[in-house]
Amino acid sequence: MNRRSSRELNETETGIYVVCSDAVLLKTINQMLKRKGIIGVTDAMGRVHYVVDARANPGYAARCINDLVADISGDDGTNELSFGSLKESALNSIIEDVLREHGFEPSLLGTRALFILVKKVAIKESTAHLSPKLLFDSAAEALEINYNHVERNLRYAIYKSDFKEKRIKSISVIRLLAAEVAGRAEEMATKK
């Protein structure tokens, strides 16, 4: 069994944690909560019990609960942007074009993270209210790196782009690019 300490388990891997005392149990749970902010434990009947960490940021905890309830109910409370019959490959091309036009270097890890985040924000209107932590965590998971690496690589990619002199936050750059992508996608979808 591989020991995973530098990154989280992906969806196909199973984590097995052996604890020998209450202190080790609490430490393990505390580490998982600090890393993700939420954990789910399945009981013998198959019911999942969730623990949400609100110690550091009650607002984040409230959003986690809201997202969790939406996932369980099957309604995420968002309105998909209607790009009509626009295929994912066409949307990907639009994102790549926008990033290239703004001088983002395709070989940088930060640009790959930016691609993921811009796509996520462009497709779902509700992500506009999400914190950078929640958004960056999704890129970290997809790229199998941690949040700090995503944040650092995003800043570097932005520094190397046309946004260098504008001195705006990473999350603002993501939202600006996503709005541009959504506009082009809507325009392309209506032309078809």
Side-chain angles (χ1 to χ4, degrees):
M1 174 161 69
N2 292 336
R3 183 170 180 202
R4 305 245 183 226
S5 59
S6 63
R7 70 173 183 89
E8 296 176 27
L9 300 173
N10 67 35
E11 293 175 11
T12 61
E13 296 173 320
T14 301
I16 299 174
Y17 303 90
V18 178
V19 295
C20 339
S21 68
D22 289 343
V24 174
L25 174 65
L26 288 174
K27 182 180 175 187
T28 304
I29 291 172
N30 193 38
Q31 286 173 338
M32 286 191 281
L33 278 172
K34 281 184 177 179
R35 202 170 43 242
K36 263 313 234 187
I38 185 171
I39 60 172
V41 179
T42 306
D43 65 15
M45 300 291 290
R47 296 176 298 217
V48 180
H49 304 271
Y50 294 95
V51 179
V52 180
D53 187 0
R55 294 174 290 188
N57 187 343
Y60 173 76
R63 285 189 299 275
C64 278
I65 293 168
N66 187 36
D67 292 345
L68 183 63
V69 169
D71 284 347
I72 291 169
S73 70
D75 175 25
D76 63 1
T78 64
N79 298 323
E80 290 285 333
L81 290 178
S82 59
F83 295 143
S85 61
L86 191 65
K87 294 183 179 181
E88 187 174 0
S89 60
L91 180 61
N92 290 346
S93 293
I94 292 171
I95 296 169
E96 289 168 358
D97 290 345
V98 168
L99 292 176
R100 190 174 32 263
E101 288 169 15
H102 287 286
F104 286 96
E105 177 59 45
S107 65
L108 296 176
L109 184 60
T111 302
R112 291 200 320 251
L114 195 58
F115 179 93
I116 293 165
L117 297 172
V118 167
K119 185 174 183 178
K120 185 176 185 81
V121 174
I123 291 174
K124 301 252 186 187
E125 291 176 329
S126 72
T127 56
H129 76 280
L130 293 179
S131 70
K133 171 80 171 128
L134 289 173
L135 284 172
F136 294 2
D137 276 344
S138 63
E141 187 175 314
L143 297 170
E144 296 183 349
I145 58 177
N146 68 33
Y147 169 85
N148 292 332
H149 286 120
V150 170
E151 189 176 37
R152 183 174 42 241
N153 283 290
L154 277 173
R155 280 195 313 261
Y156 184 73
I158 291 168
Y159 174 78
K160 291 292 199 177
S161 75
D162 296 345
F163 286 96
K164 175 183 178 180
E165 300 299 322
K166 296 181 181 175
R167 289 184 169 34
I168 57 177
K169 293 183 177 184
S170 300
I171 192 69
S172 298
V173 171
I174 292 165
R175 290 184 177 136
L176 287 169
L177 293 170
E180 189 174 337
V181 166
R184 289 186 188 188
E186 288 282 348
E187 188 177 301
M188 185 181 282
T190 57
K191 285 181 180 178
K192 287 187 172 188

